[in-house]
Amino acid sequence: MLRSSQPLTGPNRKRCREDEMLLGTVLDEGERGFIIDTRSAQAAKQARMTGGGTEPKSSYPQWRRLHRPLERGRPLQESFIKLVEACNDTSITMDRWLSRLESCRWLSHVKAALSTACLAAQCLDREEANVLVHGAEGTDSTLLVTALAQLILDPSCRTLTGFQGLLEREWIEAGHPFHLRCARSAYSHARLKQEAPLFLLFLDCVWQLSRQFPFSLEFSEHLLLSLFDNAYASAYGTFLCNNEKERCLCKVKESTHSLWAWLNQPGEKKKCLNPLYSPNSLVIWPSVEPQSIQLWQGLFLRWIRSSQYLDEAWAQIQHLVESN
């Protein structure tokens, strides 16, 4: 599986021989590959007017292009804001709650992300084909798809250590602009143009996997909540800046502590582990049916309800597992 930004064909349909040769060497003679573009065909076409575009069939004859549009900008941020507002309104009726939950479209974004990741995983696993995933810059929805596809396919990514490595590789080193995307929370009245909860959407999708496959992920919901909190406000430097260049210029590694070092301390690590974990070497195919996608209550409702009984139940499960 490969990932990249969009090719810069522009309105004059420029070619890049080096790019064509690079993708050509990935495939053997007679093989076909899939390009999953996380923009709509219309958006990719419009991008040509500003210098972007997509791969023309004539220049990449062995590759089949599939468009699977995923929101990555202001619509996603607005969806997040509407969901949080609905969750915090404790006075609404059941009908009104269901209506607002549907109109915010957050669960639709979760479904779309999981569906696209499943498509990439199916191309790799069932078609045994190479896959290139890209969007516009290749640092948002692209990373969402590649990271989820690896979780679905690779059991090592479902361990605590493997998941941390996946985040480091697919989000931090790959240049997801955390500073721009997570500058404000859903509670802010500011509407910054580049804000978008892509990383939160990824965490929500991972939670959906953990709910559908409760024994297959070594880490718990506590880890996902900690990652969400630290992406928006953190005492650690792991999610600072927008890319590796900025982190080097700001000397982040020299001036701050790592979030992973804190999470891997024995006491904290125990909270992050799933006591029901049983290593599963198989591919885990999530259901994306509407009935299967649920609201992540542990995150979106944690400010308006007590988690005391859930925490006590979880502690009891840990005790039973350890005593056996």
Side-chain angles (χ1 to χ4, degrees):
M1 183 163 60
L2 311 169
R3 51 174 161 74
S4 72
S5 59
Q6 64 181 327
L8 304 180
T9 56
N12 297 324
R13 296 179 182 271
K14 293 181 291 185
R15 296 179 64 176
C16 178
R17 304 289 184 180
E18 293 82 2
D19 186 55
E20 294 169 17
M21 186 180 301
L22 179 64
L23 288 187
T25 59
V26 172
L27 304 176
D28 294 329
E29 189 174 349
E31 280 190 331
R32 292 183 64 82
F34 293 92
I35 297 172
I36 298 179
D37 195 324
T38 60
R39 304 165 296 172
S40 66
Q42 182 63 26
K45 186 177 180 180
Q46 290 175 344
R48 282 209 302 265
M49 302 309 296
T50 55
T54 192
E55 297 82 358
K57 293 180 181 179
S58 58
S59 303
Y60 301 85
Q62 290 179 269
W63 292 86
R64 180 186 174 191
R65 190 171 71 250
L66 306 170
H67 289 277
R68 292 296 184 273
L70 298 176
E71 292 289 359
R72 67 182 188 93
R74 180 166 290 182
L76 190 61
Q77 179 71 7
E78 292 295 334
S79 177
F80 176 38
I81 291 169
K82 289 178 182 178
L83 175 58
V84 170
E85 289 175 346
C87 289
N88 286 339
D89 187 351
T90 57
S91 64
I92 56 176
T93 63
M94 174 64 79
D95 289 343
R96 181 64 178 151
W97 157 249
L98 293 175
S99 175
R100 290 181 68 174
L101 181 62
E102 181 182 10
S103 65
C104 77
R105 300 194 65 247
W106 180 262
L107 296 184
S108 296
H109 297 312
V110 173
K111 179 186 186 305
L114 283 172
S115 298
T116 307
C118 284
L119 173 63
Q122 286 172 348
C123 291
L124 288 160
D125 183 65
R126 296 179 177 175
E127 301 293 329
E128 297 184 346
N130 291 288
V131 176
L132 168 65
V133 183
H134 71 62
E137 289 82 22
T139 55
D140 288 297
S141 52
T142 300
L143 307 183
L144 175 65
V145 173
T146 58
L148 286 174
Q150 289 177 67
L151 269 174
I152 291 168
L153 293 172
D154 188 355
S156 68
C157 290
R158 299 177 218 141
T159 66
L160 179 60
T161 301
F163 186 62
Q164 291 177 7
L166 177 73
L167 296 177
E168 191 72 33
R169 180 176 69 251
E170 294 298 314
W171 287 92
I172 298 170
E173 293 177 358
H176 180 65
F178 282 97
H179 178 67
L180 288 173
R181 300 292 182 261
C182 304
R184 301 274 198 283
S185 72
Y187 291 98
S188 172
H189 294 293
R191 295 292 183 267
L192 300 184
K193 186 177 180 181
Q194 302 208 50
E195 260 189 292
L198 266 300
F199 187 61
L200 167 58
L201 182 59
F202 167 71
L203 295 177
D204 198 327
C205 290
V206 176
W207 179 82
Q208 303 289 337
L209 288 173
S210 71
R211 193 190 61 78
Q212 293 188 27
F213 301 93
F215 305 106
S216 297
L217 278 64
E218 188 185 22
F219 48 89
S220 67
E221 182 185 45
H222 177 82
L223 174 67
L224 301 179
L225 293 172
S226 296
L227 291 170
F228 166 74
D229 291 339
N230 281 276
Y232 280 89
S234 182
Y236 302 91
T238 303
F239 295 126
L240 287 180
C241 303
N242 293 308
N243 50 54
E244 283 296 294
K245 180 181 179 180
E246 287 187 13
R247 281 186 279 274
C248 288
L249 290 173
C250 295
K251 297 183 178 180
V252 168
K253 290 184 179 179
E254 295 87 347
S255 306
T256 67
H257 293 285
S258 167
L259 174 63
W260 312 130
W262 174 62
L263 291 175
N264 288 323
Q265 293 180 107
E268 201 60 36
K269 183 176 181 179
K270 185 178 179 180
K271 299 177 191 175
C272 294
L273 291 173
N274 173 14
L276 301 178
Y277 175 64
S278 178
N280 177 9
S281 61
L282 302 176
V283 177
I284 54 173
W285 296 109
S287 169
V288 293
E289 294 300 318
Q291 301 90 332
S292 301
I293 307 297
Q294 295 189 10
L295 179 69
W296 184 6
Q297 297 184 32
L299 174 67
F300 293 111
L301 300 182
R302 66 172 170 163
W303 294 284
I304 62 170
R305 68 167 196 184
S306 171
S307 63
Q308 175 189 349
Y309 299 115
L310 288 173
D311 293 341
E312 289 175 355
W314 198 246
Q316 186 64 27
I317 291 173
Q318 287 182 313
H319 175 71
L320 291 172
V321 170
E322 291 170 358
S323 62
N324 289 332

